[in-house]
Amino acid sequence: MRVPKGKFIPTNPLCKNVLQKFMDEESADVVFEVVDNGSLQSEEHTNKKSKTTTTLYAHRFILQDVSTMLSELCKSTDSGIITTVSITDVKPETFKHMIYYAYGGKLSDEDLKANAKDIINACDKYGVDHLKLEAEATYVKSNEITTGNMMDNLLYADSKNLALLKETVMDYIVENRGDIMGKVSFSNVPGDMITDVLAAVSRGQEAGDSGANSKDYNKMRVGTLRKMLDDKGLEVDGSREAMIALLKEHNTSDDEEEEDNDNNDA
């Protein structure tokens, strides 16, 4: 719609209103007690570890669609009863970042860069997939892959299902294979990573993301696969194999539905 000159149409305030409910104690029906087991409390002549607890206020109706795990934690059988949840496996500041994101908040580049691994680990544990992928992208951008750290990054990517980081390491291995051979042991690498290696080799042989038009998913980059899944409203957090399988399954369903429509029209 074309806005007449000189007229002002305000934006929909929903996102701003939801974000304003972040940490609103008065309306909250979920209370997270986040325990920091590693804080140091100074006494006269000694430093000893002690537990400190940070209280975070939240709303069930917002968190229930963010992740299955958060939904289960916040579940209540009694309407109007405040649910108190103890969190002992994530740093308070990291958990706060995660809940803030659930309310539509945007983390700063500085916060993402400084806490990328903590955020990835927390989001992987609690199923906050989109923030996990955002932190992964920041980690890839801000950390250079080297011969010295590539194995640690590869195994970390495999353990947390970080397809973009894994792809980045694989690209590095293919590009620097001459320098790496004989210097780095691959004995700890899971055998199912061969698919990622072959994909990286294939990308190195062909210019650009040529598979995007031919529907050869195996040659596509992780970013392309994720975008295709997101455009279809499908799950974007998964291994390369899982993403390809989901796209194939969905496209098969689409083809069958289109064929049925054609038959009905006939």
Side-chain angles (χ1 to χ4, degrees):
M1 181 181 70
R2 187 172 181 178
V3 179
K5 188 175 181 180
K7 300 293 184 180
F8 169 73
I9 298 178
T11 57
N12 191 319
L14 176 62
C15 293
K16 181 182 70 174
N17 292 342
V18 171
L19 188 55
Q20 286 177 344
K21 290 298 181 183
F22 174 67
M23 288 291 288
D24 184 56
E25 180 178 356
E26 183 177 347
S27 61
D29 54 9
V30 178
V31 177
F32 291 104
E33 299 288 351
V34 189
V35 179
D36 185 356
N37 293 302
S39 60
L40 287 175
Q41 184 175 9
S42 178
E43 296 191 352
E44 291 184 2
H45 300 292
T46 181
N47 286 333
K48 68 176 183 179
K49 289 187 177 181
S50 63
K51 294 182 179 180
T52 60
T53 300
T54 300
T55 301
L56 303 176
Y57 300 96
H59 302 80
R60 189 176 296 109
F61 83 97
I62 291 177
L63 299 182
Q64 65 185 3
D65 291 326
V66 173
S67 80
T68 302
M69 186 168 184
L70 284 177
S71 178
E72 286 297 316
L73 288 176
C74 300
K75 186 182 293 184
S76 175
T77 56
D78 299 318
S79 178
I81 300 299
I82 295 179
T83 301
T84 300
V85 182
S86 177
I87 303 295
T88 60
D89 52 6
V90 176
K91 295 177 182 177
E93 191 62 25
T94 302
F95 199 84
K96 186 176 182 179
H97 283 321
M98 191 167 63
I99 300 302
Y100 178 69
Y101 181 87
Y103 280 72
K106 175 69 175 176
L107 273 64
S108 68
D109 292 339
E110 292 76 14
D111 281 334
L112 282 170
K113 185 175 180 179
N115 304 285
K117 263 197 167 183
D118 284 340
I119 292 172
I120 289 170
N121 295 341
C123 290
D124 183 68
K125 184 183 293 289
Y126 287 95
V128 185
D129 297 335
H130 288 73
L131 179 56
K132 172 188 169 183
L133 300 188
E134 188 173 344
E136 178 197 14
T138 298
Y139 181 85
V140 168
K141 182 179 179 181
S142 58
N143 288 274
E144 180 184 3
I145 303 300
T146 66
T147 302
N149 68 27
M150 70 177 199
M151 287 305 301
D152 287 340
N153 278 299
L154 186 59
L155 295 175
Y156 176 64
D158 188 62
S159 69
K160 300 300 179 184
N161 218 5
L162 303 173
L164 178 62
L165 177 58
K166 185 185 291 187
E167 178 182 83
T168 303
V169 177
M170 290 297 181
D171 285 345
Y172 176 85
I173 291 174
V174 171
E175 292 170 6
N176 299 276
R177 55 190 179 276
D179 296 328
I180 293 172
M181 290 178 63
K183 298 178 181 178
V184 179
S185 172
F186 290 85
S187 60
N188 293 328
V189 175
D192 58 6
M193 283 193 189
I194 188 64
T195 302
D196 297 278
V197 175
L198 293 175
V201 171
S202 179
R203 287 193 302 272
Q205 293 174 342
E206 298 184 15
D209 205 355
S210 58
N213 295 323
S214 64
K215 288 294 186 293
D216 188 349
Y217 298 124
N218 291 313
K219 296 180 181 179
M220 293 182 184
R221 289 201 168 272
V222 166
T224 301
L225 294 171
R226 285 177 174 171
K227 185 178 186 307
M228 293 177 70
L229 289 166
D230 191 59
D231 287 345
K232 295 176 181 294
L234 302 173
E235 176 60 53
V236 295
D237 182 28
S239 65
R240 169 181 289 277
E241 292 80 2
M243 289 190 286
I244 290 173
L246 187 55
L247 281 169
K248 287 182 176 179
E249 177 187 353
H250 188 78
N251 284 336
T252 299
S253 300
D254 286 347
D255 292 341
E256 291 176 351
E257 182 178 349
E258 183 176 345
E259 184 178 348
D260 289 341
N261 292 334
D262 290 341
N263 292 335
N264 292 333
D265 290 341

